[in-house]
Amino acid sequence: MIKRRVKQAMFRELKTIDGFDFSFNPSVPRKIVYDLTTCQFIHQSRDILLIGPPGVGKSHIAQAIGYQAIKNGHTVKYRSIFDVVRDFMRDEAFAGQDKIMDKYLKPDLLIIDDMGIKPLAKRSGEYFFEVIMRRYEVKSTIMTSNRPLEEWGKLVGDVPAATAILDRFLHHAEIINITGKSYRLQNRQSGITTSDDPGKSESKSSQDACKGTQK
């Protein structure tokens, strides 16, 4: 069952709290994070916001809590903000299908990662508002963001909608502010390549071969 639910969750990669290096950025509240892995917040229909600069471990923590939730018997869905935009644009292209919205409403825990990296298209913002509104006080949601809350109006593309989203989402939310150094930049500066970064996985870089042609 765990293997099946992990596959259905569609994590970017499987992370655990035990694999997180709390000593690197002391601003990460260890006790609060471990308390969240008990998943009591899911039973209470509360939400979590992890906010801070890129590379400080937000995605690792979110996915690790999601994995622990699965082990505790809950259903989980992980989507990056890029997935959100793509899903809702596809839903708009094939009007009348409710499968996309159901995918966001059904799981006990929904994780939306990287909020702020990509602004939502107008229609996507409307769908996103509906997701948050319908999950409010019913199901739990985790979001990670590297942008301050006052900029969410621009991200959603609709200031009133963003205000309504934050009003509901933050009502029962645990807000974890993380500051400090980037794990990925630290590894790059020290010349170390690792696939066990506590933030996101180290992405494989590809070099474009630029060849000039002469006549």
Side-chain angles (χ1 to χ4, degrees):
M1 182 192 70
I2 291 176
K3 289 182 178 179
R4 182 177 70 253
R5 288 188 175 179
V6 166
K7 183 177 180 180
Q8 291 172 344
M10 301 178 69
F11 294 120
R12 183 177 299 167
E13 56 184 330
L14 197 59
K15 292 290 189 179
T16 65
I17 288 298
D18 290 338
F20 188 85
D21 183 5
F22 285 91
S23 64
F24 188 79
N25 277 329
S27 68
V28 181
R30 181 194 295 259
K31 184 180 185 304
I32 292 177
V33 171
Y34 270 98
D35 285 346
L36 291 173
T37 62
T38 66
C39 299
Q40 285 301 310
F41 75 97
I42 297 179
H43 295 289
Q44 298 165 357
S45 301
R46 294 191 293 115
D47 303 316
I48 302 172
L49 174 63
L50 295 155
I51 190 165
V56 294
K58 303 183 299 297
S59 295
H60 184 133
I61 293 172
Q63 291 179 97
I65 293 174
Y67 178 51
Q68 194 62 43
I70 289 175
K71 293 171 68 176
N72 287 351
H74 299 288
T75 56
V76 178
K77 178 63 70 175
Y78 168 90
R79 307 302 283 163
S80 75
I81 197 62
F82 300 99
D83 299 322
V84 173
V85 172
R86 183 167 53 249
D87 286 346
F88 289 143
M89 289 181 67
R90 183 182 306 149
D91 188 59
E92 184 178 1
F94 297 95
Q97 294 185 357
D98 297 323
K99 293 182 179 179
I100 299 297
M101 185 59 70
D102 288 344
K103 181 168 65 174
Y104 283 85
L105 298 178
K106 187 176 180 180
D108 301 322
L109 175 61
L110 172 65
I111 301 173
I112 298 178
D113 203 2
D114 298 325
M115 181 67 178
I117 289 183
K118 180 180 180 65
L120 297 176
K122 183 177 180 180
R123 291 289 294 171
S124 297
E126 294 175 8
Y127 282 122
F128 185 53
F129 169 67
E130 183 177 352
V131 169
I132 298 302
M133 181 182 67
R134 293 175 65 177
R135 291 185 64 87
Y136 173 61
E137 294 187 330
V138 178
K139 301 285 184 69
S140 293
T141 304
I142 295 177
M143 281 199 278
T144 75
S145 177
N146 61 7
R147 302 287 289 275
L149 299 179
E150 55 267 24
E151 294 184 12
W152 279 37
K154 295 179 181 178
L155 300 175
V156 176
D158 185 329
V159 174
T163 301
I165 288 171
L166 289 173
D167 180 63
R168 288 165 174 79
F169 180 70
L170 297 180
H171 185 199
H172 304 298
E174 178 77 50
I175 303 175
I176 301 177
N177 288 286
I178 304 176
T179 59
K181 302 168 289 185
S182 167
Y183 291 96
R184 292 189 294 275
L185 291 181
Q186 175 70 13
N187 289 328
R188 183 175 299 175
Q189 290 168 0
S190 61
I192 299 174
T193 300
T194 175
S195 59
D196 195 29
D197 292 344
K200 300 174 192 172
S201 63
E202 188 76 19
S203 61
K204 296 181 179 179
S205 61
S206 61
Q207 297 181 348
D208 294 332
C210 300
K211 298 181 180 180
T213 58
Q214 294 183 343
K215 294 184 179 179

